[in-house]
Amino acid sequence: FASPLISVTQYVTFYVLVAIAFGVSFLFPVILVFLEIVGVLHTAQLRKVRRFAILGISIFAAVITPRSDPYTMLALMIPMVLFYEAAIIIGRLMKK
């Protein structure tokens, strides 16, 4: 007899957690742009702490992803880093 390696509950839980993790993390650039509009952050500050932000993003991606494989972490980390850079560019364009 064949038995499944993973139950339906584990499967659904995993994908719900991944969807929530990606949804919350993709709000990150919206928050950064909002803080730039309000005047709390400036693009010079974001550029200055870029290395620490990338380190923080990688730690966040490693902690929030439900599996410990590097593919899920990279799938979350790479867009967040790109969105961080996009927030810097949007902040520059708003100053002009």
Side-chain angles (χ1 to χ4, degrees), residues 13-51:
T13 302
F14 170 73
Y15 281 105
V16 166
L17 287 176
V18 169
I20 290 171
F22 276 74
V24 167
S25 65
F26 288 165
L27 287 175
F28 176 65
V30 174
I31 294 169
L32 285 179
V33 171
F34 174 74
L35 291 175
E36 289 175 355
I37 290 171
V38 174
V40 175
L41 286 177
H42 301 288
T43 57
Q45 293 171 322
L46 292 175
R47 286 183 302 203
K48 184 178 177 183
V49 298
R50 179 180 284 140
R51 289 182 182 173

Side-chain angles (χ1 to χ4, degrees), residues 17-18 20-22 24-25 59-67 76 80:
L17 287 176
V18 169
I20 290 171
F22 276 74
V24 167
S25 65
I59 292 171
F60 174 77
V63 169
I64 200 165
T65 51
R67 309 270 329 244
L76 183 63
M80 283 185 70

